[in-house]
Amino acid sequence: MSLTTRGFSGRRREPDDRLPPGQTLVQRWPVLSAGPTPNVHTDTWDFVIRDEGGTEHHWSWDQLLALGVEDITVDIHCVTHWSKLDMSWRGVSLDKLFENVETEDAYVMARSYGGYTTNLPLEDLLDGQAWIAIEAEGEPLDPEHGGPARLLVPHLYFWKSAKWIRGLTMMPTNDSGFWEQYGYHLYGDPWKEERYS
């Protein structure tokens, strides 16, 4: 496995109620990846939610955008101890994608182009808490940051905001994703420092 890290230059600040414990404030957005960057084009991009009955709900790039793109400003917190505050994004709320998906399952496995996975409780993706992000800081998402689209779940550590998102699979139990299998916490709340299990 290869690990890419670029752009990390942080500075400590005086205590800030928006900075979780153990975090360092950064101005630039570091690049962290495990493995190669997939080459995904919007003309072939497809997003799917697969429910417990095996029904697949698909959206093309144009269908995703037609649901309505929102402006979002959130703080993000990486498990590697950096935080970036007031980061501007544009994306589609997962509430819109789940409008016509019926499920009894309480968990999802987020799946990415390139094979990455991460597990999340469904309730953490709804009620205005998560998006399929397509822009960051006024620009389309670069591939190294997960473009053309990544999951954005800002209230959890950033490994839960899967890059190169391609779909969500409903699950009855909280099965481990990629990093969780290597000892990362199943949930990842930065305010509780849930870095590792």
Side-chain angles (χ1 to χ4, degrees):
M1 170 176 49
S2 65
L3 184 67
T4 302
T5 71
R6 286 194 301 281
F8 182 82
S9 58
R11 63 178 175 86
R12 287 264 176 216
R13 275 185 24 155
E14 293 303 311
D16 185 324
D17 61 0
R18 292 173 52 203
L19 206 57
Q23 295 297 105
T24 299
L25 185 67
V26 298
Q27 300 305 314
R28 294 182 58 206
W29 184 13
V31 175
L32 300 168
S33 295
T37 298
N39 189 9
V40 183
H41 298 280
T42 56
D43 56 346
T44 57
W45 183 87
D46 180 65
F47 183 80
V48 60
I49 297 175
R50 186 170 197 249
D51 67 26
E52 60 267 38
T55 301
E56 294 187 347
H57 307 265
H58 287 265
W59 292 266
S60 68
W61 186 258
D62 289 339
Q63 289 168 332
L64 175 78
L65 300 183
L67 294 174
V69 177
E70 302 175 8
D71 293 320
I72 310 143
T73 301
V74 293
D75 303 337
I76 58 173
H77 311 290
C78 184
V79 72
T80 61
H81 297 276
W82 63 262
S83 291
K84 187 161 176 21
L85 305 182
D86 294 319
M87 192 163 178
S88 63
W89 300 81
R90 296 194 80 224
V92 176
S93 171
L94 280 170
D95 293 315
K96 293 180 179 178
L97 292 161
F98 273 96
E99 278 179 359
N100 296 312
V101 176
E102 294 184 23
T103 183
E104 298 295 321
D105 285 346
Y107 301 96
V108 304
M109 185 67 74
R111 300 185 182 280
S112 297
Y113 290 93
Y116 178 79
T117 58
T118 191
N119 56 294
L120 297 129
L122 177 59
E123 67 182 1
D124 283 274
L125 301 181
L126 303 176
D127 297 324
Q129 298 183 91
W131 298 265
I132 302 298
I134 61 165
E135 292 182 15
E137 301 191 318
E139 299 290 335
L141 272 176
D142 289 332
E144 67 183 3
H145 284 303
R150 74 177 297 152
L151 191 60
L152 178 60
V153 189
H155 64 281
L156 300 178
Y157 279 124
F158 210 43
W159 92 81
K160 294 293 187 176
S161 293
K163 294 180 177 183
W164 315 297
I165 192 71
R166 73 178 305 166
L168 302 171
T169 302
M170 304 308 304
M171 305 186 299
T173 57
N174 198 14
D175 300 338
S176 296
F178 177 83
W179 282 119
E180 295 83 6
Q181 292 177 22
Y182 287 99
Y184 278 41
H185 198 278
L186 278 177
Y187 186 62
D189 184 339
W191 295 98
K192 296 178 180 177
E193 289 198 87
E194 292 178 341
R195 300 178 197 277
Y196 310 108
S197 57

Coordinates of all heavy atoms in Angstrom, one line a residue, residues 99-155:
E99 N -34.7 10.2 -0.8 CA -36.1 10.5 -0.8 C -37.0 9.3 -1.2 O -38.0 9.1 -0.6 CB -36.4 11.7 -1.6 CG -36.2 13.0 -1.0 CD -36.5 14.2 -1.8 OE1 -36.8 14.0 -3.0 OE2 -36.3 15.3 -1.4
N100 N -36.5 8.6 -2.2 CA -37.3 7.4 -2.7 C -36.7 6.1 -2.4 O -37.0 5.1 -3.1 CB -37.5 7.6 -4.2 CG -38.3 8.9 -4.5 OD1 -39.4 9.1 -3.9 ND2 -37.8 9.7 -5.4
V101 N -35.8 6.0 -1.4 CA -35.1 4.8 -1.0 C -35.8 4.3 0.3 O -35.7 5.0 1.3 CB -33.6 4.9 -0.9 CG1 -33.0 3.6 -0.4 CG2 -33.0 5.4 -2.2
E102 N -36.4 3.2 0.2 CA -37.0 2.6 1.5 C -36.0 1.6 2.0 O -35.6 0.7 1.3 CB -38.4 2.0 1.2 CG -39.4 3.0 0.8 CD -40.8 2.4 0.6 OE1 -41.0 1.4 1.1 OE2 -41.6 3.1 -0.2
T103 N -35.7 1.7 3.3 CA -34.8 0.7 3.9 C -35.1 0.6 5.4 O -35.6 1.5 6.0 CB -33.4 1.1 3.7 OG1 -32.5 0.1 4.3 CG2 -33.0 2.5 4.4
E104 N -34.9 -0.6 5.9 CA -35.0 -0.8 7.4 C -33.6 -0.9 8.0 O -33.4 -0.9 9.2 CB -35.7 -2.2 7.6 CG -37.2 -2.2 7.2 CD -38.0 -1.1 7.9 OE1 -37.8 -1.0 9.2 OE2 -38.9 -0.5 7.3
D105 N -32.5 -1.0 7.1 CA -31.2 -1.1 7.6 C -30.7 0.2 8.2 O -31.1 1.3 7.8 CB -30.2 -1.5 6.4 CG -30.4 -3.0 6.1 OD1 -31.0 -3.7 6.8 OD2 -29.8 -3.3 5.0
A106 N -29.8 0.1 9.2 CA -29.4 1.2 10.0 C -28.0 1.7 9.6 O -27.5 2.7 10.1 CB -29.4 0.9 11.5
Y107 N -27.3 0.9 8.7 CA -25.9 1.3 8.4 C -25.7 1.2 6.9 O -26.5 0.6 6.1 CB -24.9 0.3 9.0 CG -25.0 0.3 10.5 CD1 -25.8 -0.7 11.2 CD2 -24.4 1.2 11.3 CE1 -26.0 -0.7 12.5 CE2 -24.5 1.2 12.7 CZ -25.3 0.3 13.3 OH -25.4 0.3 14.6
V108 N -24.7 1.9 6.4 CA -24.3 1.9 5.0 C -22.8 1.6 4.9 O -22.0 1.9 5.8 CB -24.6 3.2 4.2 CG1 -26.1 3.5 4.4 CG2 -23.8 4.3 4.7
M109 N -22.4 1.0 3.8 CA -21.0 0.9 3.4 C -20.8 1.9 2.2 O -21.5 1.7 1.2 CB -20.6 -0.5 3.0 CG -19.1 -0.7 2.7 SD -18.1 -0.4 4.2 CE -18.4 -2.0 5.1
A110 N -20.0 2.9 2.4 CA -19.7 3.8 1.3 C -18.6 3.1 0.4 O -17.7 2.6 1.0 CB -19.2 5.1 1.8
R111 N -18.8 3.1 -0.9 CA -17.9 2.5 -1.8 C -17.4 3.5 -2.8 O -18.1 4.3 -3.3 CB -18.6 1.3 -2.5 CG -19.1 0.3 -1.6 CD -19.8 -0.9 -2.2 NE -20.3 -1.9 -1.2 CZ -19.5 -2.7 -0.6 NH1 -18.2 -2.8 -0.8 NH2 -20.1 -3.5 0.3
S112 N -16.1 3.4 -3.1 CA -15.4 4.3 -4.0 C -14.9 3.7 -5.2 O -14.5 2.5 -5.2 CB -14.3 5.0 -3.2 OG -14.7 5.7 -2.1
Y113 N -14.7 4.5 -6.3 CA -13.9 4.0 -7.4 C -12.5 3.8 -6.8 O -12.0 4.6 -6.1 CB -13.9 5.1 -8.5 CG -15.2 5.2 -9.2 CD1 -16.2 6.2 -8.8 CD2 -15.5 4.4 -10.3 CE1 -17.4 6.3 -9.5 CE2 -16.7 4.6 -11.0 CZ -17.7 5.5 -10.5 OH -18.9 5.7 -11.2
G114 N -11.9 2.7 -7.2 CA -10.6 2.3 -6.7 C -10.7 1.3 -5.5 O -9.6 0.8 -5.1
G115 N -11.9 1.1 -5.0 CA -12.0 0.0 -4.0 C -12.1 0.4 -2.6 O -12.4 -0.4 -1.7
Y116 N -11.9 1.7 -2.3 CA -12.0 2.1 -0.9 C -13.4 2.0 -0.3 O -14.4 2.2 -1.1 CB -11.5 3.6 -0.8 CG -11.6 4.1 0.6 CD1 -10.6 3.9 1.6 CD2 -12.7 4.9 1.0 CE1 -10.7 4.4 2.8 CE2 -12.7 5.5 2.3 CZ -11.7 5.2 3.2 OH -11.8 5.7 4.5
T117 N -13.5 1.6 1.0 CA -14.8 1.5 1.6 C -14.7 2.2 3.0 O -13.6 2.2 3.6 CB -15.3 0.1 1.8 OG1 -14.3 -0.7 2.5 CG2 -15.5 -0.6 0.5
T118 N -15.8 2.6 3.5 CA -15.9 3.1 4.9 C -17.4 2.9 5.3 O -18.3 3.1 4.6 CB -15.4 4.5 5.1 OG1 -15.3 4.7 6.5 CG2 -16.3 5.5 4.5
N119 N -17.6 2.5 6.6 CA -18.9 2.2 7.1 C -19.4 3.4 7.9 O -18.6 4.2 8.5 CB -18.9 1.0 8.1 CG -17.8 1.2 9.2 OD1 -16.6 1.2 8.9 ND2 -18.3 1.3 10.4
L120 N -20.7 3.7 7.8 CA -21.4 4.8 8.5 C -22.8 4.4 9.0 O -23.5 3.7 8.2 CB -21.5 6.0 7.6 CG -20.2 6.6 7.1 CD1 -20.2 6.7 5.6 CD2 -20.0 7.9 7.8
P121 N -23.2 4.9 10.1 CA -24.7 4.8 10.4 C -25.5 5.7 9.4 O -25.1 6.8 9.1 CB -24.8 5.4 11.8 CG -23.4 5.3 12.4 CD -22.5 5.5 11.2
L122 N -26.6 5.1 9.0 CA -27.4 5.9 8.0 C -27.9 7.2 8.6 O -27.9 8.2 8.0 CB -28.7 5.0 7.7 CG -29.7 5.7 6.8 CD1 -29.1 6.2 5.4 CD2 -30.9 4.8 6.5
E123 N -28.2 7.2 9.9 CA -28.7 8.5 10.6 C -27.6 9.6 10.5 O -28.0 10.8 10.6 CB -29.1 8.2 12.0 CG -28.0 7.9 12.9 CD -28.4 7.6 14.4 OE1 -29.7 7.6 14.6 OE2 -27.6 7.3 15.2
D124 N -26.4 9.3 10.3 CA -25.3 10.3 10.2 C -25.3 10.9 8.7 O -24.5 11.8 8.5 CB -24.0 9.8 10.6 CG -23.9 9.7 12.1 OD1 -23.5 10.7 12.7 OD2 -24.2 8.6 12.6
L125 N -26.0 10.3 7.8 CA -26.0 10.8 6.4 C -27.2 11.6 6.1 O -27.3 12.2 5.0 CB -25.9 9.6 5.5 CG -24.7 8.7 5.6 CD1 -24.8 7.6 4.5 CD2 -23.4 9.5 5.5
L126 N -28.2 11.7 7.0 CA -29.5 12.3 6.8 C -29.7 13.6 7.6 O -28.8 13.9 8.4 CB -30.6 11.3 7.0 CG -30.6 10.0 6.2 CD1 -31.7 9.1 6.6 CD2 -30.6 10.3 4.7
D127 N -30.8 14.3 7.4 CA -31.1 15.5 8.2 C -30.1 16.6 8.0 O -29.7 17.3 9.0 CB -31.3 15.2 9.6 CG -32.5 14.2 9.8 OD1 -33.5 14.3 9.1 OD2 -32.4 13.3 10.7
G128 N -29.6 16.8 6.7 CA -28.7 17.9 6.4 C -27.3 17.7 7.0 O -26.6 18.7 7.2
Q129 N -26.9 16.5 7.2 CA -25.5 16.2 7.8 C -24.5 15.8 6.8 O -23.3 15.7 7.1 CB -25.6 15.1 8.9 CG -26.5 15.5 10.1 CD -26.5 14.4 11.1 OE1 -25.6 14.4 12.0 NE2 -27.3 13.4 10.9
A130 N -24.9 15.4 5.6 CA -23.9 14.8 4.6 C -24.3 15.1 3.2 O -25.5 15.3 2.9 CB -23.8 13.3 4.8
W131 N -23.3 15.2 2.3 CA -23.5 15.5 0.9 C -22.6 14.7 0.0 O -21.6 14.2 0.4 CB -23.1 17.0 0.7 CG -24.0 18.0 1.5 CD1 -25.1 18.7 1.1 CD2 -23.8 18.4 2.8 NE1 -25.6 19.5 2.1 CE2 -24.8 19.3 3.2 CE3 -22.8 18.1 3.8 CZ2 -24.9 19.9 4.4 CZ3 -22.9 18.6 5.1 CH2 -24.0 19.6 5.4
I132 N -23.0 14.7 -1.3 CA -22.1 14.3 -2.3 C -21.5 15.6 -2.8 O -22.1 16.4 -3.5 CB -22.8 13.6 -3.5 CG1 -23.5 12.3 -3.0 CG2 -21.7 13.2 -4.6 CD1 -22.6 11.3 -2.4
A133 N -20.2 15.9 -2.5 CA -19.5 17.1 -2.8 C -18.9 17.1 -4.1 O -18.3 16.1 -4.5 CB -18.5 17.4 -1.7
I134 N -19.1 18.2 -4.9 CA -18.5 18.2 -6.2 C -17.6 19.4 -6.4 O -16.8 19.5 -7.4 CB -19.7 18.3 -7.3 CG1 -20.5 19.6 -7.1 CG2 -20.5 17.1 -7.3 CD1 -21.4 20.0 -8.2
E135 N -17.6 20.3 -5.5 CA -16.7 21.5 -5.5 C -16.1 21.7 -4.1 O -16.8 21.5 -3.1 CB -17.4 22.8 -6.0 CG -17.8 22.7 -7.4 CD -18.4 24.1 -7.9 OE1 -18.3 25.1 -7.1 OE2 -19.1 24.1 -8.9
A136 N -14.9 22.3 -4.0 CA -14.3 22.7 -2.8 C -13.6 24.1 -3.0 O -12.9 24.2 -4.0 CB -13.4 21.7 -2.2
E137 N -13.9 25.0 -2.1 CA -13.3 26.3 -2.2 C -13.4 27.0 -3.6 O -12.4 27.5 -4.1 CB -11.8 26.2 -1.7 CG -11.8 25.7 -0.3 CD -10.4 25.8 0.4 OE1 -9.4 25.5 -0.2 OE2 -10.5 26.2 1.6
G138 N -14.5 26.8 -4.2 CA -14.8 27.5 -5.4 C -14.4 26.8 -6.7 O -14.5 27.4 -7.8
E139 N -13.8 25.6 -6.6 CA -13.3 24.9 -7.8 C -13.8 23.5 -7.8 O -14.1 22.9 -6.7 CB -11.8 24.9 -7.7 CG -11.1 26.2 -7.7 CD -11.2 26.9 -9.1 OE1 -11.4 26.3 -10.1 OE2 -11.1 28.2 -9.1
P140 N -14.0 22.9 -9.0 CA -14.3 21.5 -9.0 C -13.3 20.7 -8.3 O -12.1 21.1 -8.2 CB -14.3 21.2 -10.5 CG -14.5 22.5 -11.2 CD -13.8 23.5 -10.3
L141 N -13.8 19.6 -7.6 CA -12.8 18.8 -6.8 C -11.7 18.2 -7.7 O -12.0 17.6 -8.7 CB -13.6 17.6 -6.2 CG -14.2 17.9 -4.8 CD1 -15.0 16.6 -4.4 CD2 -13.2 18.2 -3.8
D142 N -10.5 18.4 -7.3 CA -9.4 17.8 -8.0 C -9.4 16.3 -7.7 O -9.8 15.9 -6.7 CB -8.0 18.3 -7.5 CG -7.7 19.7 -7.9 OD1 -8.2 20.2 -8.9 OD2 -7.0 20.4 -7.1
P143 N -8.9 15.5 -8.7 CA -8.9 14.0 -8.4 C -8.1 13.7 -7.1 O -8.6 12.8 -6.4 CB -8.2 13.5 -9.7 CG -8.5 14.5 -10.7 CD -8.5 15.8 -10.1
E144 N -7.1 14.4 -6.8 CA -6.3 14.0 -5.6 C -7.1 14.3 -4.3 O -6.8 13.7 -3.3 CB -5.0 14.7 -5.6 CG -5.1 16.2 -5.4 CD -3.7 16.9 -5.5 OE1 -2.7 16.2 -5.7 OE2 -3.7 18.1 -5.3
H145 N -8.1 15.1 -4.4 CA -9.0 15.4 -3.3 C -10.4 14.6 -3.4 O -11.3 14.9 -2.7 CB -9.3 16.9 -3.1 CG -8.1 17.6 -2.5 ND1 -7.5 17.3 -1.3 CD2 -7.4 18.6 -3.0 CE1 -6.6 18.1 -1.0 NE2 -6.4 18.9 -2.1
G146 N -10.4 13.7 -4.3 CA -11.6 12.9 -4.4 C -12.5 13.1 -5.6 O -13.6 12.6 -5.7
G147 N -12.1 14.1 -6.5 CA -13.0 14.4 -7.6 C -13.1 13.3 -8.6 O -12.3 12.4 -8.7
P148 N -14.3 13.3 -9.3 CA -15.2 14.4 -9.4 C -16.2 14.6 -8.3 O -16.8 15.6 -8.1 CB -16.0 14.1 -10.7 CG -16.0 12.6 -10.8 CD -14.6 12.2 -10.2
A149 N -16.3 13.6 -7.4 CA -17.3 13.6 -6.3 C -16.8 12.8 -5.1 O -16.3 11.7 -5.3 CB -18.7 13.2 -6.8
R150 N -17.0 13.4 -4.0 CA -16.7 12.6 -2.7 C -17.8 12.8 -1.7 O -18.6 13.7 -1.8 CB -15.4 13.2 -2.1 CG -15.5 14.5 -1.4 CD -14.2 15.0 -0.7 NE -13.8 14.1 0.3 CZ -12.5 13.9 0.7 NH1 -11.5 14.6 0.1 NH2 -12.2 13.1 1.7
L151 N -17.9 11.9 -0.8 CA -18.8 12.0 0.3 C -18.3 13.1 1.2 O -17.1 13.2 1.4 CB -18.9 10.6 1.0 CG -19.9 10.4 2.1 CD1 -21.3 10.6 1.4 CD2 -19.8 9.0 2.7
L152 N -19.2 13.8 1.8 CA -18.8 14.9 2.8 C -19.7 14.7 4.0 O -20.9 14.9 4.0 CB -19.0 16.3 2.2 CG -18.7 17.4 3.1 CD1 -17.2 17.4 3.5 CD2 -19.0 18.8 2.4
V153 N -19.0 14.2 5.1 CA -19.7 14.0 6.4 C -18.8 14.7 7.4 O -18.0 14.1 8.1 CB -19.7 12.5 6.7 CG1 -20.6 12.2 7.9 CG2 -20.3 11.7 5.5
P154 N -19.0 16.1 7.5 CA -18.0 16.9 8.2 C -18.0 16.7 9.8 O -17.0 17.0 10.4 CB -18.4 18.3 7.9 CG -19.8 18.2 7.4 CD -20.0 16.9 6.8
H155 N -19.1 16.1 10.3 CA -19.1 16.0 11.8 C -18.3 14.7 12.2 O -18.1 14.5 13.4 CB -20.5 15.9 12.3 CG -21.3 14.8 11.9 ND1 -21.9 14.7 10.6 CD2 -21.6 13.6 12.5 CE1 -22.6 13.5 10.5 NE2 -22.4 12.9 11.6

